[in-house]
Amino acid sequence: MKSLTLLRHAKSSWDDKVARDFDRPLNARGRRAARAMGERMKAEGLIFDRVVASPAKRVIETIEAVEETFGPLAAEYDERVYLASRATLLELVHGAGDGADRLLLVGHNPGLESLALLLTRKGGGRMRGALEEKYPTGTLAEMRFESERWSDIAAGSGELARFIRPRDLDPELGPED
């Protein structure tokens, strides 16, 4: 069995004057959300054999904040994850190496949301409905597959096992009014 977890970077700051989108940092709410997510991930006993992430500043800072409460993730930074399409992310999953059963991808939308929707079965209840509605910043989705090989992962073959938004952990981390 394979487990794929997708973590979207936490809320970033649009106030910082940076030359490139790639260099945009997290804001204070994003750092709080990432620490809360790390705490929840630890409480739920999540473990990962491999972590692949975008090298964008907001992703690096998300991982660092998650690690404050979760522990070390030993992320591999791969430029292909930066603003990756669903197709590129699926290629990364297929090439993950079958020695790793639990893969965590940390990156950006719309690619992560699109991949989660592609891989999970339609009509999967409340969690699937929440995923279809929106995949907010800082959100984690875990999918499980009855497969021994990452290359066999295909559309509709996964079960959505977790869908955790920052607002599920703390209402103050939800959408701003």
Side-chain angles (χ1 to χ4, degrees), residues 24-36:
R24 202 160 22 93
L26 293 185
N27 66 21
R29 193 167 119 208
R31 284 188 289 282
R32 276 194 349 261
R35 285 191 298 271

Side-chain angles (χ1 to χ4, degrees), residues 8-9 12 14 20-24 53-59 78-89 92 106-114:
R8 184 175 175 201
H9 68 79
S12 60
W14 290 94
R20 304 181 309 161
D21 173 74
F22 187 86
D23 298 321
R24 202 160 22 93
S54 162
K57 184 171 186 169
R58 59 192 177 274
V59 173
D78 187 324
E79 289 186 12
R80 294 176 294 171
V81 182
Y82 177 65
L83 301 180
S85 68
R86 171 176 81 184
T88 299
L89 292 171
L92 287 165
V106 188
H108 313 267
N109 255 4
L112 291 179
E113 178 177 1
S114 182

Side-chain angles (χ1 to χ4, degrees), residues 78-152:
D78 187 324
E79 289 186 12
R80 294 176 294 171
V81 182
Y82 177 65
L83 301 180
S85 68
R86 171 176 81 184
T88 299
L89 292 171
L90 187 56
E91 285 176 20
L92 287 165
V93 169
H94 285 162
D98 293 328
D101 289 328
R102 297 167 303 243
L103 174 63
L104 170 63
L105 290 179
V106 188
H108 313 267
N109 255 4
L112 291 179
E113 178 177 1
S114 182
L115 182 64
L117 289 168
L118 172 74
L119 295 179
T120 56
R121 295 177 192 97
K122 292 184 178 175
R126 181 193 60 76
M127 282 191 299
R128 172 67 191 215
L131 170 60
E132 289 172 355
E133 181 182 319
K134 188 174 182 183
Y135 198 120
T137 54
T139 295
L140 178 143
E142 179 189 11
M143 295 157 281
R144 295 184 187 145
F145 303 88
E146 295 292 332
S147 177
E148 295 302 316
R149 297 179 11 207
W150 288 111
S151 60
D152 292 337

Side-chain angles (χ1 to χ4, degrees), residues 52 108 114 130 160 176:
V52 180
H108 313 267
S114 182
L160 187 59
E176 296 173 353

